């Protein structure tokens, strides 16, 4: 996609690491692909100029689905409705050949909080983990009979001591006096236990969400290793109730402030500069909230407020330089977190959504030349 955004002189696009994109399609490194299948397409015009790309994939979750849902992702395209239709049809027909009747996307199969959805408002440089695309992508979806499925927002919350934090602190006073609850800060030396407890909460909250595979301790450990350069001990919180894990909040420094200049290349110099920015220069002043969860039995107990207030207090008393929290993936499916984000004076920075189409709808589209793949 780098060439596409460069041609349009877009200054906000941040190329994801090429190495991580390759890992997504490797069955040995992505267990969800191992349980299903993936296919990719590139589309060229008659002069062999690259127009766009798309990937389609599915996985079989035997616990929640009898017929798997098909997904598409990694969608990029010039402002060309016919070209987009070529790509959508190629993905849809392949999924249909696998017995799948509908597809959703754009999706990053395997877990929430990573480049899922299409941006519809707030076309600024995105926080780490948030999708970015041209504004006309949404026209391409709507012109080709897609329907919006899951709109979500990123809230920009000040971490510099606004009056709103005092209000939330009062709401959490009961939590601080309830000795049955205990907050634990992530410690890399105890990564195995953290991964195990994270898995318990994750599966209770996300297991029945379409596209989310059951988490395993090994997958959680792998994710920790992937994010190790970004993990900041005081920005990852796990909450217990009578020694049972019940909630977590995972935020990381917004590394896009560093990655943007490396254009997706995974070089040693990038890793060195990333480490310098995080550990020495302190040039990153924003936290990106990747994922949060509260188990159902502890809903409506202000746990979300407790997590955010604890994050704020840690930032304040340790004199960190984080001035803002970009809380990602806030939607109607998480009303408690949405309410707290608004009470903290959070402003909506990005809005994004996933789309869905029933594949048989594509049959009514005007027939066009066959897409050639290899």
């Amino acid at each position: 996609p780098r060439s596409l955004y460069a041609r349009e002189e877009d200054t906000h696009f941040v190329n994801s690491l090429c190495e991580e994109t390759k890992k997504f399609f490797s069955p040995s490194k992505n267990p969800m692909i191992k349980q299903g299948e993936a296919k990719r397409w590139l589309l060229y015009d008659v002069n062999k100029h690259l127009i766009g790309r798309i990937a389609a994939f599915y996985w079989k979750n035997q616990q929640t689905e009898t017929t798997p849902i098909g997904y598409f992702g990694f969608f990029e395209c010039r402002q060309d409705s016919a070209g987009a239709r070529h790509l959508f049809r190629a993905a849809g027909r392949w999924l249909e050949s696998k017995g799948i009747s509908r597809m959703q996307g754009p999706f990053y199969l395997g877990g929430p909080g990573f480049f899922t959805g299409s941006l519809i408002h707030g076309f600024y440089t995105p926080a780490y983990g948030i999708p970015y695309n041209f504004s006309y992508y949404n026209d391409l979806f709507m012109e080709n009979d897609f329907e919006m499925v899951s709109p979500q927002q990123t809230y920009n919350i000040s971490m510099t001591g606004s009056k709103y934090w005092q209000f939330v602190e009062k709401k959490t006073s009961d939590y601080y006096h309830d000795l049955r609850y205990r907050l634990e800060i992530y410690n890399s030396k105890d990564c195995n236990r953290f991964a195990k407890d994270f898995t318990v909460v994750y599966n209770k909250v996300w297991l029945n969400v379409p596209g989310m595979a059951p988490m395993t301790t090994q997958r959680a450990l792998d994710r920790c290793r992937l994010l190790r350069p970004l993990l900041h001990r005081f920005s990852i919180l796990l909450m217990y109730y009578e020694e049972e894990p019940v909630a977590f909040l995972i935020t990381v420094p917004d590394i896009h402030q560093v990655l943007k200049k490396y254009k997706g290349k995974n070089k040693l110099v990038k890793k060195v500069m990333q480490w310098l920015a995080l550990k020495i220069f302190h040039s990153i002043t924003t936290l990106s909230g990747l994922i949060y969860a509260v188990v159902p039995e502890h809903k409506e107990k202000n746990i979300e407020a407790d997590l955010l207030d604890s994050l704020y207090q840690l930032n304040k008393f340790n004199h960190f330089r984080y001035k803002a929290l970009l809380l990602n993936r806030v939607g109607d499916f998480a009303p408690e977190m949405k309410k707290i984000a608004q009470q903290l004076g959070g402003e909506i920075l990005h809005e994004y959504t996933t789309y869905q189409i029933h594949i048989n709808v594509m049959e009514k589209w005007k027939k066009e030349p066959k897409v050639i793949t290899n």
Side-chain angles (χ1 to χ4, degrees), residues 32-296:
M32 297 191 73
I33 296 299
K34 190 174 183 178
Q35 296 174 40
E37 197 174 354
K39 193 173 181 66
R40 289 168 279 180
W41 294 263
L42 294 174
L43 180 66
Y44 297 85
D45 64 17
V46 293
N47 296 314
K48 296 186 178 181
H49 295 142
L50 189 60
I51 294 176
R53 70 176 191 180
I54 198 169
F57 31 85
Y58 69 91
W59 71 287
K60 298 177 181 178
N61 183 353
Q62 303 296 338
Q63 294 178 276
T64 60
E65 298 174 11
T66 53
T67 302
I69 299 174
Y71 300 95
F72 72 92
F74 301 91
F75 171 75
E76 303 285 355
C77 189
R78 292 194 318 212
Q79 193 167 3
D80 183 334
S81 185
R85 183 166 292 190
H86 275 302
L87 293 167
F88 295 145
R89 177 177 281 155
R93 283 177 172 170
W94 179 76
L95 289 170
E96 189 175 38
S97 72
K98 304 298 179 179
I100 296 170
S101 61
R102 59 191 172 111
M103 75 175 183
Q104 293 182 2
F107 220 89
Y108 189 96
L109 200 62
F114 290 94
F115 311 106
T116 293
S118 179
L119 192 66
I120 56 178
H121 293 295
F123 294 89
Y124 319 111
T125 299
Y128 178 74
I130 291 301
Y132 181 80
N133 49 264
F134 293 115
S135 59
Y136 64 77
Y137 278 20
N138 301 286
D139 295 331
L140 295 180
F141 289 124
M142 301 306 290
E143 290 168 2
N144 287 292
D145 302 313
F146 283 83
E147 298 176 342
M148 288 187 181
V149 176
S150 179
Q152 300 169 40
Q153 300 84 36
T154 293
Y155 279 86
N156 184 6
I157 301 172
S158 171
M159 296 280 284
T160 58
S162 69
K163 61 182 179 181
Y164 302 107
W165 284 106
Q166 298 175 12
F167 169 75
V168 171
E169 188 175 353
K170 292 178 181 179
K171 292 188 66 173
T172 63
S173 59
D174 290 341
Y175 155 73
Y176 288 114
H177 291 90
D178 190 337
L179 299 181
R180 294 173 298 178
Y181 285 98
R182 173 173 61 86
L183 189 73
E184 190 166 313
I185 302 167
Y186 171 74
N187 187 340
S188 60
K189 295 180 180 179
D190 202 10
C191 187
N192 287 351
R193 183 173 63 85
F194 173 84
K196 180 180 178 180
D197 293 343
F198 168 85
T199 299
V200 171
V201 178
Y202 180 100
N203 284 335
K204 286 185 177 181
V205 175
W206 292 102
L207 183 59
N208 293 319
V209 176
M212 302 305 167
M215 182 61 66
T216 65
T217 301
Q218 186 58 52
R219 280 186 64 209
L221 284 170
D222 291 343
R223 181 59 63 179
C224 282
R225 294 189 184 101
L226 173 65
L227 295 176
R228 182 173 294 168
L230 306 182
L231 296 181
H232 190 299
R233 181 186 174 195
F234 292 99
S235 66
I236 301 174
L237 309 176
L238 193 64
M239 186 176 290
Y240 295 83
Y241 179 80
E242 296 181 344
E243 302 307 316
E244 289 292 323
V246 296
F248 61 71
L249 171 65
I250 296 179
T251 67
V252 299
D254 181 16
I255 199 64
H256 269 184
Q257 297 178 28
V258 176
L259 287 184
K260 189 174 182 180
K261 65 183 72 174
Y262 294 103
K263 301 179 181 179
K265 297 177 181 178
N266 194 40
K267 293 183 177 180
L268 178 61
V269 65
K270 173 197 70 70
K271 294 184 177 180
V272 172
M273 289 302 295
Q274 177 180 305
W275 181 82
L276 289 174
L278 286 170
K279 307 298 183 182
I280 298 178
F281 298 145
H282 303 288
S283 61
I284 297 177
T285 58
T286 302
L287 285 173
S288 178
L290 291 184
I291 182 173
Y292 53 85
V294 179
V295 298

